[in-house]
């Protein structure tokens, strides 16, 4: 009897696993949380008069679905299949309690809204099928393109649809900066630039036809110029160039270059500099980037913020500094104004946790990051994660309440849907055909330089 039950359990999908009804329901619930994160951030809720709750709608959705997913499959099975993810999910709340014990509850919401719900979202999305993940990819690209249209319109009219959010814990309507910055539905331009950068790597992983991929890339590039995120734009372009060079040389050595890839490289070399030059000189879209290509006030703040370490005592170094004391120290180093703050997320987390807790935090986040990279199953997934960490390191994004890590999980899962995907393109043309080569049989498997080709 027991043997029969064991055989039955092996054949039937468990709740929350791929193929089960519960797993499908959890996946779509996770998609809802992702869409809410895009469309209902704190600034949009403020304009709608719905900012009456402390937590965002996406937080409630991720908590409900994630906790259900956590109990849907046995604890031992979860730990065996995803040890890095499970360590992260159980350790992040412990760190939040550790911070609350030493510093009080002020500021502990970051562990819930920035970190914990990202792990819970991974529980919901990762067991999905490859087809479902590709649907998620289409939704993410569509939402990013929607924000492209909004951001370009904002830049041309110098008018934001929704207020800028510098500090999520303060009234968005009272937060005004001197420089205009487009941000679409996103709560902050830096958040907007980061998410658009993630969309670029997802676009690479999707391997779309050139005729479709080229305009999408152009629109994403245009929005990054509008958002004014210098680091996001620079890191994305540099990694894209290095990746393209690597794939080009690998393709030449293996004689496996595809026409779409060569066209994409040619398009990038010719039109990307041209697009940037035209946008920068003939429109107001890239004004923020072009006007701040020097050591500006933002860069000065990033240098000044480290002076706070000079005022820490031994207790602060080991266990962190209370929020009230930190506010006083910021005034002492001239960062107490409404438009200035500590802009390094790692420094903020160190000041909150102290040296002991911060080391534990780095181990936990590192394990989660490695888990995401492995789950993506793609070079582009790793590039997206590395790029996101570099971009986040230049701002306070991961030190305050933000959806950066939540959406990074969504993009990593979407990229994993293309791990073994082979696009159905009918008769797929290769570069050899464009110079008059012909091959007997299927044209979809003919690389450049194969000796079986013959001239017409």
């Amino acid at each position: 009897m027991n043997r029969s039950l064991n055989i039955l359990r092996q054949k039937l999908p468990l709740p929350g696993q791929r193929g089960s009804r519960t797993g499908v329901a959890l996946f779509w619930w996770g998609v809802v949380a992702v869409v809410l994160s895009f469309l209902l951030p704190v600034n949009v809720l403020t304009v709608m008069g719905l900012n009456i709750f402390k937590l965002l709608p996406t937080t409630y959705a991720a908590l409900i679905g994630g906790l259900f997913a956590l109990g849907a499959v046995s604890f031992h099975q979860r730990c065996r299949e995803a040890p890095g993810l499970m360590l992260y999910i159980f350790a992040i709340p412990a760190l939040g309690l550790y911070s609350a014990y030493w510093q009080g509850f002020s500021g502990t919401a970051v562990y819930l809204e920035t970190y914990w719900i990202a792990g819970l979202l991974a529980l919901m999305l990762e067991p999905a099928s490859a087809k479902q993940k590709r649907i998620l990819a289409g939704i993410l690209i569509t939402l990013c393109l929607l924000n492209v249209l909004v951001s370009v319109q904002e830049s041309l009219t110098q008018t934001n649809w929704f207020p800028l959010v510098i500090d999520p814990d303060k009234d968005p309507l009272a937060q005004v900066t001197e420089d205009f910055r487009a941000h679409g539905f996103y709560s902050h331009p830096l958040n907007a630039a980061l998410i658009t950068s993630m969309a670029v790597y997802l676009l690479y992983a999707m391997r779309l036809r050139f005729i479709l991929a080229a305009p999408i890339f152009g629109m994403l590039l245009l929005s990054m110029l509008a958002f004014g995120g210098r680091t996001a734009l620079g890191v994305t372009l540099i990694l894209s160039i290095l990746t393209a060079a690597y794939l080009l040389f690998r393709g030449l050595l293996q004689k496996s270059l595809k026409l779409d890839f060569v066209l994409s490289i040619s398009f990038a070399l010719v039109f990307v500099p041209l697009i940037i030059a035209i946008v920068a000189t003939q429109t107001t879209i890239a004004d923020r980037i072009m006007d701040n290509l020097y050591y500006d006030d933002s860069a000065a703040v990033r240098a000044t913020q480290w002076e706070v370490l000079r005022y820490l005592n031994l207790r602060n170094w080991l266990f962190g500094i209370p929020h009230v004391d930190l506010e006083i120290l910021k005034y002492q180093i001239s960062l107490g104004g409404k438009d200035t703050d500590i802009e390094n997320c790692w420094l903020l987390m160190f000041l909150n946790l102290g040296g002991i807790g911060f080391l534990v935090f780095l181990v936990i986040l590192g394990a989660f990051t490695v888990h995401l990279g492995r789950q993506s199953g793609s070079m582009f997934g790793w590039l997206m994660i590395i790029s996101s960490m570099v971009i986040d390191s230049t701002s306070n994004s991961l030190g305050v309440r933000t959806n950066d890590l939540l959406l990074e999980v969504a993009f990593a899962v979407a990229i994993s849907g293309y791990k073994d995907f082979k696009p159905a393109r009918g008769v797929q043309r290769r570069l050899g055909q464009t110079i008059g080569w012909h091959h007997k049989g299927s044209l979809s498997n003919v690389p450049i330089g194969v000796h079986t080709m013959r001239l017409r």
Side-chain angles (χ1 to χ4, degrees):
M1 181 68 176
N2 291 333
R3 184 179 179 183
S4 300
L5 289 175
N6 290 332
I7 294 175
L8 185 61
R9 290 193 186 103
Q10 292 175 3
K11 292 183 177 180
L12 293 177
L14 294 173
Q17 287 187 321
R18 184 177 301 148
S20 71
R21 291 183 178 180
T22 304
V24 173
L26 286 172
F27 168 78
W28 287 110
W29 187 263
V31 172
V32 170
V34 171
V35 174
L36 290 175
S37 183
F38 265 96
L39 300 181
L40 292 179
V42 60
N43 52 338
V44 177
L45 292 175
T46 300
V47 171
M48 297 172 63
L50 299 176
N51 58 333
I52 56 176
F53 302 106
K54 186 65 175 177
L55 302 179
L56 298 176
T58 187
T59 304
Y60 289 108
L63 282 174
I64 295 171
L67 291 176
F68 185 84
L70 191 60
V73 177
S74 69
F75 175 77
H76 295 290
Q77 182 175 346
R78 288 284 192 190
C79 292
R80 185 173 60 254
E81 294 177 351
L85 176 60
M86 295 306 293
L87 171 66
Y88 180 85
I89 287 176
F90 282 94
I92 287 296
L95 277 179
L97 294 175
Y98 175 86
S99 173
Y101 175 80
W102 287 103
Q103 323 303 344
F105 285 97
S106 178
T108 55
V110 66
Y111 296 97
L112 173 63
E113 288 207 290
T114 300
Y115 292 100
W116 201 42
I117 62 172
L120 296 178
L121 182 70
L123 282 178
M124 291 184 280
L125 296 182
E126 286 180 359
S129 66
K131 182 178 180 181
Q132 290 170 331
K133 293 174 181 178
R134 292 194 292 271
I135 293 174
L136 172 62
I139 293 173
L140 290 173
I141 289 294
T142 301
L143 290 171
C144 288
L145 292 179
L146 171 64
N147 275 287
V148 170
L149 300 178
V150 176
S151 64
V152 170
Q153 192 272 340
E154 287 181 330
S155 296
L156 294 176
T157 61
Q158 296 288 290
T159 304
N160 289 123
W161 283 29
F162 308 101
L164 175 67
V165 175
I166 300 174
D167 186 345
D169 295 317
K170 298 178 182 178
D171 182 10
L173 297 178
Q175 301 180 46
V176 182
T177 59
E178 295 180 0
D179 298 329
F180 174 84
R181 305 178 69 176
H183 53 83
F185 281 87
Y186 304 105
S187 58
H188 193 279
L190 295 182
N191 173 256
L194 172 64
I195 304 307
T196 307
S197 172
M198 294 181 187
V200 171
Y201 297 107
L202 174 58
L203 179 64
Y204 295 158
M206 294 172 72
R207 304 193 300 276
L208 298 175
R209 292 292 300 270
F210 171 79
I211 194 172
L212 184 60
I216 294 178
F217 178 82
M219 293 177 67
L220 294 176
L221 176 62
L222 190 64
S223 66
M224 293 186 73
L225 292 170
F227 296 140
R230 293 166 294 181
T231 303
L233 179 63
V235 170
T236 304
L237 290 179
I238 291 173
L239 286 182
S240 297
I241 292 171
L242 294 176
T243 303
Y246 165 75
L247 293 176
L248 180 62
F249 283 115
R250 190 184 71 175
L252 289 173
L253 292 175
Q254 297 179 354
K255 299 179 181 179
S256 59
L257 286 179
K258 297 179 181 180
L259 175 59
D260 280 353
F261 178 72
V262 176
L263 287 175
S264 299
I265 295 293
S266 303
F267 170 84
L269 290 176
V270 175
F271 289 100
V272 169
L274 184 62
I275 291 174
I276 294 177
I278 293 176
V279 171
T281 58
Q282 304 300 320
T283 72
T284 60
I285 293 176
D287 281 358
R288 205 267 172 178
I289 287 183
M290 301 308 299
D291 293 342
N292 291 280
L293 288 176
Y294 58 89
Y295 189 78
D296 61 355
D297 293 340
S298 179
V301 167
R302 289 178 173 86
T304 304
Q305 63 191 357
W306 296 99
E307 294 183 12
V308 72
L309 298 176
R310 297 169 48 195
Y311 296 90
L312 302 182
N313 55 37
L314 181 59
R315 189 259 187 200
N316 299 147
W317 278 97
L318 293 177
F319 305 108
I321 181 172
H323 184 73
V324 176
D325 295 343
L326 179 59
E327 291 296 322
I328 296 174
L329 288 186
K330 287 194 294 186
Y331 273 98
Q332 289 182 300
I333 61 174
S334 303
L335 290 182
K338 64 179 181 178
D339 294 332
T340 58
D341 200 353
I342 293 176
E343 294 190 13
N344 185 284
C345 59
W346 309 114
L347 180 57
L348 279 175
M349 296 306 295
F350 171 80
L351 293 172
N352 184 258
L353 291 169
I356 298 174
F358 184 67
L359 289 176
V360 176
F361 167 76
L362 289 180
V363 172
I364 295 168
L365 184 61
F368 182 59
T369 301
V370 171
H371 168 81
L372 286 181
R374 289 175 176 173
Q375 285 292 314
S376 70
S378 168
M379 173 183 67
F380 298 113
W382 283 104
L383 288 173
M384 183 208 69
I385 292 171
I386 294 171
S387 175
S388 299
M389 285 299 173
V390 172
I391 296 169
D392 272 326
S393 297
T394 62
S395 70
N396 63 358
S397 296
L398 294 182
V400 296
R401 291 188 295 148
T402 180
N403 63 353
D404 287 6
L405 199 56
L406 176 91
L407 293 180
E408 183 177 327
V409 169
F411 277 96
V413 171
I415 289 175
S416 70
Y418 295 89
K419 182 165 46 178
D420 301 314
F421 178 65
K422 295 181 179 179
R425 298 178 178 176
V427 180
Q428 187 182 32
R429 295 181 178 271
R430 298 279 180 148
L431 185 60
Q433 293 176 267
T434 65
I435 58 175
W437 287 344
H438 176 71
H439 180 258
K440 294 180 180 180
S442 174
L443 295 176
S444 62
N445 297 310
V446 184
I448 299 173
V450 174
H451 298 297
T452 55
M453 290 183 177
R454 61 184 176 84
L455 293 174
R456 286 175 181 165

Tab-separated table of all heavy atoms in Angstrom, residues 4 14 23 56 112 156 163 204 214 281 307 311 322 338 341 351 377 403 425 431 442:
chain	number	residue	atom	x	y	z
A	4	SER	N	2.616	1.761	-3.306
A	4	SER	CA	1.714	2.291	-4.344
A	4	SER	C	1.516	3.788	-4.186
A	4	SER	O	1.493	4.535	-5.168
A	4	SER	CB	0.355	1.577	-4.278
A	4	SER	OG	0.523	0.194	-4.489
A	14	LEU	N	3.215	17.858	-7.525
A	14	LEU	CA	2.861	18.380	-6.206
A	14	LEU	C	2.325	19.792	-6.326
A	14	LEU	O	2.618	20.505	-7.288
A	14	LEU	CB	4.104	18.378	-5.296
A	14	LEU	CG	4.665	16.995	-4.946
A	14	LEU	CD1	5.982	17.155	-4.205
A	14	LEU	CD2	3.688	16.202	-4.110
A	23	GLY	N	0.239	25.259	-9.037
A	23	GLY	CA	1.404	25.938	-9.591
A	23	GLY	C	1.033	26.955	-10.643
A	23	GLY	O	1.597	28.048	-10.688
A	56	LEU	N	2.445	48.652	-0.269
A	56	LEU	CA	1.931	48.775	-1.627
A	56	LEU	C	1.102	47.549	-2.014
A	56	LEU	O	1.272	46.475	-1.438
A	56	LEU	CB	3.092	48.937	-2.603
A	56	LEU	CG	3.964	50.182	-2.415
A	56	LEU	CD1	5.134	50.155	-3.396
A	56	LEU	CD2	3.146	51.450	-2.604
A	112	LEU	N	11.150	43.932	4.179
A	112	LEU	CA	9.925	43.338	3.664
A	112	LEU	C	9.701	43.705	2.207
A	112	LEU	O	9.593	42.833	1.338
A	112	LEU	CB	8.729	43.784	4.502
A	112	LEU	CG	7.342	43.383	3.978
A	112	LEU	CD1	7.203	41.868	3.959
A	112	LEU	CD2	6.245	44.020	4.836
A	156	LEU	N	9.392	65.523	-23.933
A	156	LEU	CA	9.089	66.523	-24.952
A	156	LEU	C	8.241	67.661	-24.401
A	156	LEU	O	8.368	68.813	-24.844
A	156	LEU	CB	8.381	65.855	-26.133
A	156	LEU	CG	9.223	64.856	-26.937
A	156	LEU	CD1	8.375	64.195	-28.014
A	156	LEU	CD2	10.438	65.545	-27.564
A	163	PRO	N	4.085	62.324	-9.766
A	163	PRO	CA	5.160	63.020	-9.051
A	163	PRO	C	6.394	62.150	-8.873
A	163	PRO	O	6.322	60.916	-8.884
A	163	PRO	CB	4.520	63.351	-7.700
A	163	PRO	CG	3.456	62.316	-7.524
A	163	PRO	CD	2.923	62.060	-8.901
A	204	TYR	N	17.637	40.574	-25.617
A	204	TYR	CA	18.710	39.761	-26.183
A	204	TYR	C	18.386	38.269	-26.055
A	204	TYR	O	18.593	37.493	-26.983
A	204	TYR	CB	20.035	40.038	-25.473
A	204	TYR	CG	20.577	41.438	-25.656
A	204	TYR	CD1	21.478	41.983	-24.744
A	204	TYR	CD2	20.207	42.221	-26.738
A	204	TYR	CE1	21.993	43.258	-24.896
A	204	TYR	CE2	20.712	43.502	-26.901
A	204	TYR	CZ	21.607	44.020	-25.969
A	204	TYR	OH	22.105	45.280	-26.137
A	214	ALA	N	15.045	45.266	-33.590
A	214	ALA	CA	15.696	46.560	-33.805
A	214	ALA	C	14.851	47.737	-33.311
A	214	ALA	O	15.339	48.583	-32.556
A	214	ALA	CB	16.068	46.727	-35.275
A	281	THR	N	21.104	66.329	-29.572
A	281	THR	CA	21.282	67.671	-30.135
A	281	THR	C	20.004	68.312	-30.662
A	281	THR	O	19.908	69.539	-30.723
A	281	THR	CB	22.308	67.624	-31.289
A	281	THR	OG1	21.847	66.708	-32.295
A	281	THR	CG2	23.668	67.153	-30.773
A	307	GLU	N	31.967	60.292	4.637
A	307	GLU	CA	32.470	60.964	5.834
A	307	GLU	C	31.683	60.585	7.082
A	307	GLU	O	32.141	60.799	8.202
A	307	GLU	CB	32.429	62.480	5.641
A	307	GLU	CG	33.377	62.979	4.554
A	307	GLU	CD	33.360	64.486	4.451
A	307	GLU	OE1	32.791	65.134	5.373
A	307	GLU	OE2	33.894	65.021	3.463
A	311	TYR	N	32.270	59.415	12.194
A	311	TYR	CA	31.543	59.768	13.418
A	311	TYR	C	30.959	58.550	14.135
A	311	TYR	O	30.230	58.706	15.114
A	311	TYR	CB	30.405	60.738	13.076
A	311	TYR	CG	30.887	62.066	12.536
A	311	TYR	CD1	31.071	62.245	11.164
A	311	TYR	CD2	31.163	63.132	13.397
A	311	TYR	CE1	31.512	63.460	10.659
A	311	TYR	CE2	31.598	64.349	12.890
A	311	TYR	CZ	31.779	64.499	11.520
A	311	TYR	OH	32.219	65.700	11.029
A	322	PRO	N	21.109	53.895	15.120
A	322	PRO	CA	19.670	54.184	15.068
A	322	PRO	C	19.343	55.248	14.026
A	322	PRO	O	20.174	56.110	13.710
A	322	PRO	CB	19.350	54.665	16.488
A	322	PRO	CG	20.419	54.067	17.339
A	322	PRO	CD	21.654	54.039	16.477
A	338	LYS	N	16.602	68.395	2.011
A	338	LYS	CA	15.506	67.578	1.488
A	338	LYS	C	15.864	66.908	0.172
A	338	LYS	O	15.276	65.896	-0.196
A	338	LYS	CB	14.259	68.445	1.297
A	338	LYS	CG	14.416	69.551	0.248
A	338	LYS	CD	13.131	70.349	0.099
A	338	LYS	CE	13.277	71.431	-0.963
A	338	LYS	NZ	12.024	72.189	-1.147
A	341	ASP	N	20.943	63.045	0.319
A	341	ASP	CA	20.870	61.900	1.213
A	341	ASP	C	22.050	60.988	0.900
A	341	ASP	O	22.790	61.209	-0.057
A	341	ASP	CB	19.551	61.144	1.001
A	341	ASP	CG	19.202	60.269	2.208
A	341	ASP	OD1	20.043	60.157	3.113
A	341	ASP	OD2	18.086	59.718	2.245
A	351	LEU	N	25.155	50.790	7.750
A	351	LEU	CA	24.802	51.659	8.874
A	351	LEU	C	23.604	51.115	9.638
A	351	LEU	O	23.481	51.330	10.847
A	351	LEU	CB	24.502	53.074	8.358
A	351	LEU	CG	25.695	53.839	7.783
A	351	LEU	CD1	25.233	55.128	7.133
A	351	LEU	CD2	26.721	54.132	8.876
A	377	GLY	N	19.608	30.341	-16.398
A	377	GLY	CA	20.130	29.398	-17.375
A	377	GLY	C	20.664	30.039	-18.632
A	377	GLY	O	20.679	29.416	-19.693
A	403	ASN	N	11.168	48.411	-5.710
A	403	ASN	CA	10.799	47.145	-6.349
A	403	ASN	C	11.899	46.625	-7.270
A	403	ASN	O	11.658	45.744	-8.095
A	403	ASN	CB	9.495	47.309	-7.142
A	403	ASN	CG	9.646	48.309	-8.292
A	403	ASN	OD1	10.669	48.972	-8.433
A	403	ASN	ND2	8.622	48.421	-9.105
A	425	ARG	N	10.793	30.002	-37.158
A	425	ARG	CA	10.886	31.091	-38.126
A	425	ARG	C	10.624	30.625	-39.557
A	425	ARG	O	10.987	31.276	-40.512
A	425	ARG	CB	12.267	31.733	-38.041
A	425	ARG	CG	12.551	32.351	-36.681
A	425	ARG	CD	13.938	32.929	-36.629
A	425	ARG	NE	14.180	33.570	-35.337
A	425	ARG	CZ	15.336	34.093	-34.986
A	425	ARG	NH1	16.351	34.073	-35.808
A	425	ARG	NH2	15.486	34.662	-33.798
A	431	LEU	N	23.478	34.079	-43.410
A	431	LEU	CA	24.238	35.097	-44.117
A	431	LEU	C	24.743	34.596	-45.467
A	431	LEU	O	24.864	35.344	-46.415
A	431	LEU	CB	25.419	35.542	-43.246
A	431	LEU	CG	26.270	36.693	-43.794
A	431	LEU	CD1	25.409	37.923	-43.982
A	431	LEU	CD2	27.428	36.971	-42.868
A	442	SER	N	17.510	21.652	-45.766
A	442	SER	CA	16.970	22.732	-44.949
A	442	SER	C	17.915	23.918	-44.918
A	442	SER	O	19.122	23.767	-44.734
A	442	SER	CB	16.731	22.233	-43.519
A	442	SER	OG	16.349	23.307	-42.703
